[in-house]
């Protein structure tokens, strides 16, 4: 297999190759099917190996000098089988865990003969067509041998702040192909016989603007692998190789069995979602759709991305990135209480991903932003579709989550400190994004990203100590959480000025969901606000600081406000203030169903403004209290306005129970006797074999009207986009919402087999 062909063929090509590896002097330790393991040994040993994986992660945090790893946990450690199936992983950046299997399988196929795979070796890879999500996510993985046989693999990956290329931070926002980015490295032997190969290390670090940091992180990865290797060998010494391998196999088998059992509890059907990326490269004004059709049949899931936009600019991912996005969407939602043994879980999953699209980009497409573009888009689609599937079950629906953190708003910074030392960093404050609402509670404010369960934001003091800047503000931003019966988590805000440096900074900003919000709200909720990059130019901030004032909002400063586009490179001078508002989480349920006292609390805490409380929630606040009569009257007016002035019929106090044999799609719609009906008033919503949205009243709203913090999409893209709400024609309940291209018909998002 040539390295350009990438990972897409590794499943088909791999098994026959296993039998030929011995001809290259490589013998694999295969599980002995007759090995017996008692329950207690199974439990003790599986948890011991899980702890080994976690200990490797702790080693990275202790050795790495990068705040990406030490502060934000943007790394991954894994233990994989002899053939690369991931058995154990840490709860850090989930995308990176899925990358190890294709990389290890590719290495077995392509490196066993030359240069060989031996005890004491480690391989380094950041090639997206082999398995890496993008070039900044660098993996180092090592074979573990016992008695001359390859027993298993251990691996460690870190997002590196700079691995070279034209732009600081290695996100090449003008790139049209990979030749305008940092060149990817297919697996190369970075460690041989337990010694770092200095020539390969020089080749790797020479390209970076931060070579010392890159070398230190390399040693953190090597140390993590050494710790994992030694602990596994200790376990083998105590329990025997066959027992350890049998337990690893059992962990994967249990994960598969538990997921299949869960899937059998859910109804069969099809769930669809469309999400968007804008601005394929700096200066572009296009918008590009990622389309997913999720089919659940029995105990199997099929994710089909047919119809997604063609590869374009640098917003692409290779197919390995899309697979990583799908698996990251499954883990926290569907299998949060099942072992995250990817080697077992993925047996229940199939992915269709046509070549030449932005979710399966062919070489030499630009992919340097893959982890926060194509991969993240696939994750958003999978997350939304899985959540809607889970809502169709009364128990599993309680774990559904509205969308949140629509993408990772990258903030790459290049500058010089007071000593003249040049630095590059990536701010981890993007973990200030809000989580989406749950089906029974509000979303968590400034909680981070679903794909990094252990995400953290750096300590402000550590940030100011490390970099020549002064943080003015970091906290929750008002009116960013999506409105709903349960409010989406508030996104954060962050601003700073240069400090103790006489030279300008260079910013590289890169994200999507700047022009359009995350469309993953559930059951009639509104999406959270989009990210806003901005710079207040030529302000009076230094004079205000000299007076002892610390401005919390850039609107209070003099100067000119510069709203930055989704992909941009710009300078920050001494009098400029950089500010960003992060994504809010999507809401859940009709905002008019939110308890007025909860809205009052949101206003008091600064999560919702009084004006938005009245406009979106219909809650009137007077003198610090809810005006109950005025609120009821306003909500009646809003419901009638949704119906074009028609008086809505009376609603039930609580949604009707789903009859035996029926299925609830969400809080407001149920399927019974092959008809869809409103659970609030009994209004018929059409037959099960038709798009229920066509039986509802569709209302549209400009995207910019969703939140006072939202930009007008027309500032960044040319294609008209709109927000749609779908209203029960009987009682005026907001049943569902979507963000869509204005020219497209309503999406048939839930199609049950009944």
């Amino acid at each position: 297999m040539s390295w350009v062909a990438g990972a897409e063929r590794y499943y088909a090509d791999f098994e026959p190759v296993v039998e030929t590896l011995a001809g290259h002097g490589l013998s694999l330790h295969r599980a002995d099917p007759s090995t017996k393991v008692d329950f207690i040994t199974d439990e003790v040993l599986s948890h011991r190996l899980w702890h080994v994986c976690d200990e490797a992660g702790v080693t990275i945090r202790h050795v790495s000098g990068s705040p990406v790893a030490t502060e934000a946990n943007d790394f991954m450690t894994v233990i994989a089988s002899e053939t690369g199936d991931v058995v154990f992983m840490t709860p850090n950046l989930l995308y990176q865990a899925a990358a190890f299997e294709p990389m290890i399988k590719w290495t077995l196929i392509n490196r066993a003969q030359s240069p060989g795979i031996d005890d004491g070796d480690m391989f380094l890879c950041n090639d997206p067509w082999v398995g890496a999500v993008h070039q900044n996510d660098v993996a180092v993985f090592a074979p573990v041998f016992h008695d001359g046989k390859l027993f298993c693999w251990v691996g460690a990956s870190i997002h590196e702040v700079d691995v070279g290329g034209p732009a600081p931070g290695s996100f090449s926002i003008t790139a049209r192909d990979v030749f305008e980015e940092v060149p990817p490295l297919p697996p190369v032997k970075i460690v041989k016989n337990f010694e770092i190969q200095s020539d390969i290390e020089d080749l790797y670090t020479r390209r970076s603007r931060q070579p010392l940091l890159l070398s230190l992180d390399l040693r953190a990865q090597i140390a993590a692998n050494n710790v994992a290797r030694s602990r596994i060998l200790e376990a083998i010494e105590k329990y025997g190789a066959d027992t350890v391998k049998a337990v690893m196999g059992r962990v994967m088998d249990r994960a598969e069995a538990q997921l299949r059992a869960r899937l059998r509890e859910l109804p069969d059907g099809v769930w669809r979602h469309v999400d968007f990326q804008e601005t394929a490269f700096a200066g572009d004004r296009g918008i590009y759709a990622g389309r997913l059709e999720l089919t659940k049949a029995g105990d199997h899931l099929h994710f089909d991305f047919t119809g997604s936009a063609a590869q374009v600019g640098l917003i692409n991912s290779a197919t390995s990135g899309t697979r990583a996005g799908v698996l990251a969407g499954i883990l926290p939602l569907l299998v949060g209480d099942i072992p995250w043994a990817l080697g077992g879980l993925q047996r229940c999953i199939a992915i269709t991903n046509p070549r030449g699209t932005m979710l399966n980009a062919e070489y030499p497409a630009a992919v340097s932003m893959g982890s926060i573009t194509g991969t993240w888009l696939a994750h958003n689609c999978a997350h939304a579709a899985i959540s809607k599937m889970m809502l169709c079950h009364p128990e599993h629906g309680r774990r559904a989550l509205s969308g949140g953190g629509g993408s990772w708003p990258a903030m790459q910074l290049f500058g010089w400190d007071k000593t003249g030392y040049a630095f590059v960093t990536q701010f981890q404050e993007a973990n200030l994004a809000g989580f989406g609402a749950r089906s029974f509670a509000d979303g968590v404010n400034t909680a981070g990203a679903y794909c990094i369960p252990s995400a953290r934001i750096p300590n402000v003091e550590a940030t100011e100590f490390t970099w020549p800047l002064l943080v003015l503000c970091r906290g929750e931003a008002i009116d960013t959480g999506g409105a709903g019966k349960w409010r989406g988590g508030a996104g954060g805000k962050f601003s700073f000025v240069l400090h103790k440096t006489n030279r300008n900074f260079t910013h590289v900003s890169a994200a999507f969901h700047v022009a359009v919000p995350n469309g993953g709200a559930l059951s009639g909720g509104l999406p959270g606000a989009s990210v806003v990059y901005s710079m207040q130019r030529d302000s009076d901030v230094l004079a205000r600081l000299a007076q002892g004032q610390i401005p919390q909002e850039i609107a209070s400063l003099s100067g000119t406000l510069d709203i930055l586009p989704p992909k941009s490179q710009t300078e920050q001078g001494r009098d400029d203030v950089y500010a960003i508002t992060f994504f809010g989480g999507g809401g859940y349920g009709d905002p008019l169903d939110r308890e007025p006292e909860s809205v009052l609390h949101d206003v008091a805490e600064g999560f919702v403004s009084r004006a938005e409380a009245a406009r979106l929630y219909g809650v009137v606040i007077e003198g610090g209290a809810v005006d109950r009569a005025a609120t009821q009257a306003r909500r009646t007016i809003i419901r009638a306005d949704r119906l074009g002035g028609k008086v809505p019929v009376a609603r039930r106090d609580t949604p009707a129970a789903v009859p035996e044999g029926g299925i609830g799609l969400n809080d407001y719609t149920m399927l019974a006797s092959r008809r869809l009906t409103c659970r609030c008033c009994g209004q018929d919503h059409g037959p099960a074999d038709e798009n229920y949205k066509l039986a509802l009243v569709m209302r549209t709203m400009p995207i910019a009207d969703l939140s006072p913090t939202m930009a007008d999409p027309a500032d960044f893209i040319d294609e008209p986009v709109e927000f749609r709400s779908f209203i029960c024609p009987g009682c005026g309940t907001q049943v569902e919402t979507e963000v869509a291209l204005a020219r497209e018909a309503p999406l048939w998002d839930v199609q049950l087999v009944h």
Side-chain angles (χ1 to χ4, degrees):
M1 180 191 299
S2 68
W3 73 271
V4 173
E8 62 193 271
R9 295 172 54 217
Y10 68 76
Y11 284 116
D13 285 358
F14 184 69
E15 284 305 323
V17 171
V18 170
E19 305 305 321
T20 69
L21 293 177
H24 303 316
L26 183 63
S27 178
L28 304 185
H29 179 280
R30 309 309 297 265
D32 182 349
S34 66
T35 301
K36 305 296 183 183
V37 182
D38 64 82
F39 174 79
I40 293 177
T41 301
D42 188 9
E43 283 290 296
V44 170
L45 189 49
S46 62
H47 282 81
R48 177 171 179 161
L49 293 172
W50 220 320
H51 179 75
V52 167
C53 198
D54 286 341
E55 186 181 358
V58 171
T59 303
I60 283 183
R61 284 196 294 269
H62 285 172
V63 179
S64 170
S66 171
V68 172
T70 61
E71 297 282 345
N73 291 333
D74 192 344
F75 68 88
M76 176 55 63
T77 53
V78 302
I79 300 173
S81 72
E82 73 278 9
T83 55
D85 297 307
V86 173
V87 188
F88 300 100
M89 55 182 284
T90 48
N92 300 314
L93 183 54
L94 304 183
Y95 298 156
Q96 293 180 8
F100 281 99
E101 181 189 356
M103 287 190 288
I104 291 171
K105 282 180 163 57
W106 192 100
T107 300
L108 283 166
I109 294 169
N110 295 279
R111 296 292 185 256
Q113 182 174 12
S114 176
I117 301 172
D118 301 298
D119 196 13
D121 289 348
M122 294 191 193
F123 294 86
L124 180 147
C125 177
N126 71 342
D127 190 328
W129 287 279
V130 172
V133 177
H134 68 150
Q135 293 96 311
N136 287 72
D137 285 346
V138 180
V140 178
F141 47 98
V144 177
F145 282 81
H146 174 72
D147 284 346
K149 292 185 177 182
L150 200 169
F151 182 83
C152 68
W153 294 79
V154 294
S157 59
I158 300 176
H159 176 95
E160 300 297 342
V161 297
D162 189 283
V163 287
S170 305
F171 286 4
S172 303
I173 61 173
T174 61
R176 306 298 181 91
D177 58 43
V178 76
F179 301 116
E180 298 179 60
E181 301 177 331
V182 55
L185 282 171
V188 294
K189 190 177 291 189
I190 188 72
V191 174
K192 181 177 180 180
N193 194 26
F194 303 103
E195 295 290 336
I196 295 177
Q197 302 301 286
S198 59
D199 56 344
I200 302 300
E201 181 182 14
D202 290 345
L203 175 69
Y204 170 52
T205 61
R206 181 69 165 173
R207 305 183 295 179
S208 174
R209 296 168 181 82
Q210 296 279 265
L212 297 180
L213 182 58
L214 205 59
S215 287
L216 184 57
D217 276 356
L218 172 62
R219 282 152 178 80
Q221 292 168 282
I222 292 171
N225 287 340
N226 283 337
V227 166
R229 175 184 177 276
S230 64
R231 297 291 186 265
I232 290 169
L233 292 177
E234 289 170 3
I236 291 173
E237 180 68 23
K238 180 173 182 179
Y239 293 96
D242 287 337
T243 299
V244 175
K245 183 59 64 68
V247 168
M248 292 173 67
R250 284 186 174 200
V251 170
M252 290 189 285
D253 291 344
R254 277 197 298 270
E256 176 191 5
Q258 288 176 282
L259 177 53
R260 290 194 186 279
R262 177 154 299 167
L263 292 175
R264 286 192 291 268
E265 295 172 352
L266 294 164
D268 288 347
V270 177
W271 292 264
R272 301 179 182 91
H273 188 71
V274 178
D275 207 359
F276 303 97
Q277 299 191 75
E278 73 271 347
T279 311
F281 46 85
D284 176 46
R285 292 183 57 83
I287 184 168
Y288 308 92
R291 303 180 189 275
L292 170 63
E293 181 173 285
L294 168 62
T295 301
K296 183 265 167 182
D299 59 1
H300 190 266
L301 295 174
H302 178 208
F303 295 83
D304 187 349
F305 289 96
T306 299
S308 296
Q311 63 189 59
V312 57
L314 76 154
I315 60 173
N316 314 293
S317 73
T319 191
S320 56
T322 297
R323 174 176 167 272
V326 167
L327 290 171
I330 289 171
L331 294 178
L333 282 174
L334 195 56
V335 297
D337 55 347
I338 294 174
W340 286 1
L342 299 184
L345 296 173
Q346 67 181 11
R347 299 169 191 165
C348 312
I349 300 161
I351 300 174
T352 297
N353 191 15
R355 296 171 63 175
T357 68
M358 64 180 180
L359 299 180
N360 186 2
E362 295 186 277
Y363 187 88
V367 290
S368 61
M369 278 184 59
S371 70
I372 63 170
T373 52
T375 299
W376 209 288
L377 183 75
H379 173 261
N380 288 345
C381 289
H383 178 101
I386 292 168
S387 285
K388 290 193 175 186
M389 177 181 70
M390 295 173 68
L391 284 177
C392 295
H393 188 279
E395 178 185 344
H396 299 310
R398 291 182 60 81
R399 288 197 295 271
L401 277 173
S402 290
S407 77
W408 179 272
M411 299 172 287
Q412 315 288 120
L413 187 64
F414 175 70
W416 292 263
D417 64 19
K418 63 182 179 181
T419 69
Y421 175 75
F423 69 89
V424 179
T425 191
Q426 180 188 82
F427 288 107
Q428 300 301 302
E429 270 72 13
N431 281 321
L432 286 166
F435 265 23
R438 293 157 283 184
S439 60
F440 62 91
D442 291 346
V444 181
N445 301 317
T446 56
Y450 297 141
C451 60
I452 316 178
S454 64
R456 301 187 304 172
I457 55 174
N459 183 288
V460 168
E461 299 297 334
T463 297
E464 293 180 335
F465 175 80
T466 307
W467 316 119
L469 56 87
L470 181 67
V471 176
L472 301 178
C473 174
R474 196 173 79 174
E476 281 92 5
I478 196 169
D479 293 328
T480 51
K485 176 182 179 180
W486 301 107
R487 175 182 54 79
K493 56 185 179 180
F494 175 56
S495 61
F496 65 86
V497 294
L498 312 192
H499 185 60
K500 294 185 177 179
T501 181
N502 296 318
R503 303 176 71 171
N504 290 357
F505 285 2
T506 298
H507 285 266
V508 177
S509 301
F512 67 96
H513 281 163
V514 175
V516 294
N518 183 349
L522 295 175
S523 193
L526 272 59
S530 295
V531 70
V532 179
Y533 292 109
S534 61
M535 192 84 74
Q536 190 76 6
R537 307 282 188 185
D538 303 319
S539 75
D540 59 346
V541 64
L542 297 182
R544 298 276 292 275
L545 289 172
Q547 296 169 7
Q549 303 175 29
I550 303 179
Q552 298 292 290
E553 304 290 344
I554 60 174
S556 68
L557 297 167
S558 66
T560 303
L561 178 62
D562 184 7
I563 301 295
L564 305 177
K567 315 291 188 299
S568 69
Q569 181 168 324
T570 190
E571 297 288 309
Q572 180 180 5
R574 291 292 306 281
D575 296 321
D576 300 335
V577 178
Y578 178 86
I580 182 170
T581 301
F582 297 100
F583 303 100
Y588 180 94
D590 187 340
L592 298 187
D593 285 341
R594 185 164 178 79
E595 286 292 334
E597 295 300 325
S598 296
V599 178
L600 177 65
H601 177 268
D602 289 342
V603 171
E605 293 296 316
F607 300 133
V608 177
S609 65
R610 184 170 295 197
E612 292 300 280
R615 185 175 76 93
L616 298 179
Y617 292 99
V619 174
V620 179
I621 299 173
E622 296 291 346
V626 174
D627 186 326
R628 288 279 176 177
T631 294
Q632 182 177 357
R634 180 160 183 79
R635 287 183 164 182
T636 300
I637 291 172
I638 292 174
R639 284 200 171 92
D641 182 64
R642 290 172 173 177
L643 299 176
K646 172 187 170 184
V647 177
V649 302
R651 301 173 79 236
R652 295 186 177 93
D653 291 335
T654 58
V658 178
E660 185 176 354
I663 301 172
L665 275 67
N666 53 36
D667 285 5
Y668 304 123
T669 306
M670 64 181 176
L671 172 62
S673 301
R674 302 192 60 80
R675 303 291 295 185
L676 295 161
T677 57
C678 177
R679 298 176 63 180
C680 296
C681 71
Q683 172 76 35
D684 185 80
H685 289 173
D689 57 356
E690 293 182 6
N691 185 355
Y692 70 99
K693 289 180 180 176
L694 301 180
L696 304 177
V697 176
M698 188 179 84
R699 302 295 302 270
T700 62
M701 177 193 296
I703 296 292
D705 288 352
L706 286 169
S707 166
T709 71
M710 291 284 294
D712 185 344
D715 292 342
F716 306 117
I717 60 176
D718 295 326
E719 173 89 5
V721 183
E722 62 189 18
F723 172 75
R724 298 167 176 170
S725 56
F726 297 92
I727 312 300
C728 173
C731 60
T733 297
Q734 188 163 282
V735 172
E736 196 52 87
T737 61
E738 68 182 28
V739 175
L741 300 177
R743 59 181 166 82
E744 294 192 345
L747 179 69
W748 191 359
D749 58 336
V750 182
Q751 181 182 356
L752 296 177
V753 176
H754 189 57

